[in-house]
Amino acid sequence: MTTAELVARGRAQRSRRRRIIISVLVVLIAICFAGSLMYGHTVYTPMEVWRVILGQDVPGASFTVGTLRIPRAIVAVTVGLSFGLAGVTFQTMLRNPLASPDIIGITAGAGAAAAFAIIVLKLSSAQVSMFAVTAGLAVGLLVYVLSYRQGVAGTRLILIGIGISAMLDSVTSYLLSRAGEWDLQLAMRWLSGSLNGTNYADVRTVGIAFLVLAPILLAQTRNLGAMRLGDDTASALGVRVERTRIILIVTAVGLIAFGTAAAGPIAFVAFLSGPIAARIVGPNGSLLIPAALVGALLVTAADFIGQWLLGTRFPVGIVTGVLGAPYLVYLIVRTNRAGESL
């Protein structure tokens, strides 16, 4: 067998493995989605759920499934797709697994703005969401501007983002310490990352944002892949590095901001999705679609676990935080032992 045949065979095997894994992820998401519609305090059959989806009147199920469960499940999937896609974009572009919106202050900015809107301004839910979107975009721009010095270095952006995140977390803590009992409950429910109370307005908001922004990121797949090799190599391959970086950052921050506005800053989904996707798919090829699917699976599965499998109902962000925090510690320890820089 010639070298060319061996290369072609290896590519075919990797492509087949990728298709299989993507198919498995889609099936698992569908199972979690269906389970979240059927299971709860009242369990409905697949046929009853299907009749509700078709718009038929099913006593009890029309309200429980049609009004409560369907919007929650759709938002869970869409937010997970958004977080996974945005997280792996940052990690790939900056060539660092710590370059996640969870770490570099974007979700902290949205959270601080939401706490301010709830506690100080007494705004409605829709206004809080818009406040969070605006703040997330503003913090993303601020981190980019402060880290820019003849280009954006990944390490500098991460360190500046961590510093801004710490300051914003302090602001949030101060606001919570001054909040009244009712405002504190509202703010904590939002800050913990929760799908409680989601409705079709949230479905429209996060759905439209995803349908507009996700294709922009997917269209940059080739350029993003070239940037994994370094800015100089990407430029040599014809990529306009700074222009591409701005497009990627603005689009990814938009996905995070709208997702956070709909469900709060669900911890570590953006951070975990890319590494998990790379582990199961392999480092070769684009991770955008696998990471998005992993994010959707994490959110839908964590929400179901937090609601029904732990004895007490926990917000989805608590469950993902329990999963993500040990991995963050492991990543830092492993990097330190290897003598690498973050």
Side-chain angles (χ1 to χ4, degrees):
M1 185 175 292
T2 64
T3 302
E5 289 174 336
L6 288 172
V7 171
R9 183 177 179 180
R11 287 178 176 173
Q13 290 176 342
R14 289 193 296 270
S15 178
R16 183 167 58 252
R17 176 185 177 184
R18 180 185 179 88
R19 289 194 300 269
I20 292 172
I21 289 174
I22 287 176
S23 299
V24 170
L25 288 173
V26 171
V27 170
L28 291 175
I29 292 169
I31 292 172
C32 290
F33 186 90
S36 66
L37 298 185
M38 292 186 292
Y39 190 83
H41 290 301
T42 303
V43 179
Y44 297 102
T45 66
M47 184 55 65
E48 289 174 316
V49 171
W50 182 244
R51 289 173 58 195
V52 172
I53 293 174
L54 292 178
Q56 299 178 15
D57 184 26
V58 182
S62 292
F63 175 76
T64 304
V65 176
T67 304
L68 301 180
R69 297 183 186 176
I70 289 179
R72 184 186 186 113
I74 294 175
V75 169
V77 172
T78 312
V79 167
L81 290 170
S82 299
F83 283 7
L85 192 58
V88 77
T89 298
F90 272 101
Q91 292 165 336
T92 304
M93 175 179 61
L94 299 174
R95 305 186 300 281
N96 194 312
L98 284 178
S100 165
D102 302 284
I103 309 299
I104 62 176
I106 296 169
T107 53
F116 182 80
I118 292 170
I119 295 170
V120 178
L121 301 181
K122 314 291 186 182
L123 298 182
S124 66
S125 177
Q127 292 170 320
V128 170
S129 296
M130 291 309 301
F131 227 72
V133 169
T134 303
L137 294 171
V139 171
L141 176 63
L142 177 63
V143 172
Y144 178 82
V145 170
L146 293 178
S147 61
Y148 188 89
R149 187 184 304 163
Q150 297 179 343
V152 175
T155 301
R156 186 162 63 242
L157 186 144
I158 292 169
L159 292 176
I160 289 173
I162 290 173
I164 290 177
S165 180
M167 289 188 291
L168 292 170
D169 286 340
S170 298
V171 171
T172 302
S173 297
Y174 172 77
L175 291 171
L176 294 176
S177 71
R178 306 285 295 180
E181 182 178 352
W182 176 249
D183 289 338
L184 180 62
Q185 292 179 10
L186 291 176
M188 287 304 299
R189 186 180 67 181
W190 196 93
L191 290 170
S192 63
S194 174
L195 295 169
N196 294 335
T198 51
N199 52 47
Y200 284 104
D202 297 317
V203 172
R204 287 191 295 271
T205 299
V206 72
I208 292 172
F210 180 79
L211 291 176
V212 171
L213 297 174
I216 298 175
L217 283 184
L218 294 176
Q220 297 293 324
T221 298
R222 177 188 171 276
N223 292 341
L224 184 60
M227 292 178 70
R228 295 172 64 180
L229 306 174
D231 290 356
D232 294 337
T233 302
S235 296
L237 293 173
V239 178
R240 298 173 63 180
V241 173
E242 284 306 316
R243 176 177 175 274
T244 300
R245 182 177 283 121
I246 291 173
I247 292 173
L248 293 172
I249 289 177
V250 171
T251 309
V253 169
L255 283 172
I256 289 293
F258 279 99
T260 302
I266 301 176
F268 291 119
V269 174
F271 176 60
L272 289 173
S273 299
I276 292 175
R279 181 64 62 90
I280 62 178
V281 175
N284 297 315
S286 172
L287 293 176
L288 291 180
I289 292 177
L293 294 175
V294 169
L297 181 59
L298 282 174
V299 175
T300 52
D303 185 50
F304 188 84
I305 292 170
Q307 291 296 300
W308 309 114
L309 301 185
L310 299 178
T312 301
R313 301 181 71 175
F314 290 101
V316 60
I318 300 297
V319 180
T320 58
V322 170
L323 296 173
Y327 179 77
L328 175 61
V329 174
Y330 160 76
L331 180 63
I332 294 174
V333 171
R334 188 188 66 178
T335 303
N336 184 58
R337 289 180 176 175
E340 302 171 359
S341 63
L342 295 175

